[in-house]
Amino acid sequence: MTLTEVYREIDRNGIDVYYFPMESNAKGIALPDGSIAIDTDKIENDIEEKEVAYHECAHIKTGSFYNLHSPFDIKEKQEKRAWKETIITLVPVSYTHLRAHETRSNL
């Protein structure tokens, strides 16, 4: 998936994207109102922007939110959900690889 395709997917999901500098070390943030913010000054290239943009989109798609004061285990769980969605979407998997994981029970 290209960066352009990521932004099309974000748009298809009705997610607004805002670009502005953030004081924290965060490169992106997802907000429960259905929007994301990206600090492009902290992003080095299109590949990183694609990952950051889709990861924040994934927080919204999966409903995996937390606040700064959440316990670490809650933050970790929500980040894992967002990363899982990101990886499933952005990392191509070959048909042969998928077939290798098939069993009689799921054929």
Side-chain angles (χ1 to χ4, degrees):
M1 184 177 273
T2 67
L3 181 59
T4 301
E5 291 169 331
V6 165
Y7 280 111
R8 282 187 191 135
E9 177 69 14
I10 289 169
D11 188 54
R12 271 194 295 273
N13 281 280
I15 298 169
D16 293 323
V17 181
Y18 301 99
Y19 303 92
F20 59 83
M22 295 181 213
E23 292 184 18
S24 70
N25 62 353
K27 295 176 183 178
I29 187 168
L31 302 168
D33 72 353
S35 64
I36 63 175
I38 298 174
D39 186 345
T40 53
D41 292 338
K42 294 179 184 159
I43 296 174
E44 295 182 22
N45 54 48
D46 286 357
I47 294 169
E48 186 178 19
E49 184 175 351
K50 178 172 72 169
E51 292 171 359
V52 170
Y54 199 86
H55 177 76
E56 299 310 331
C57 171
H59 274 288
I60 294 170
K61 288 178 72 173
T62 61
S64 52
F65 296 103
Y66 59 89
N67 67 48
L68 293 175
H69 305 292
S70 296
F72 177 77
D73 61 329
I74 299 296
K75 291 179 186 178
E76 183 178 43
K77 179 181 177 183
Q78 302 299 40
E79 285 296 333
K80 184 177 179 181
R81 286 176 65 196
W83 275 117
K84 182 178 178 182
E85 172 69 21
T86 303
I87 291 166
I88 288 169
T89 303
L90 296 183
V91 177
V93 178
S94 73
Y95 178 75
T96 304
H97 179 86
L98 292 174
R99 290 297 307 251
H101 289 280
E102 289 181 343
T103 64
R104 281 197 182 276
S105 64
N106 64 13
L107 288 177

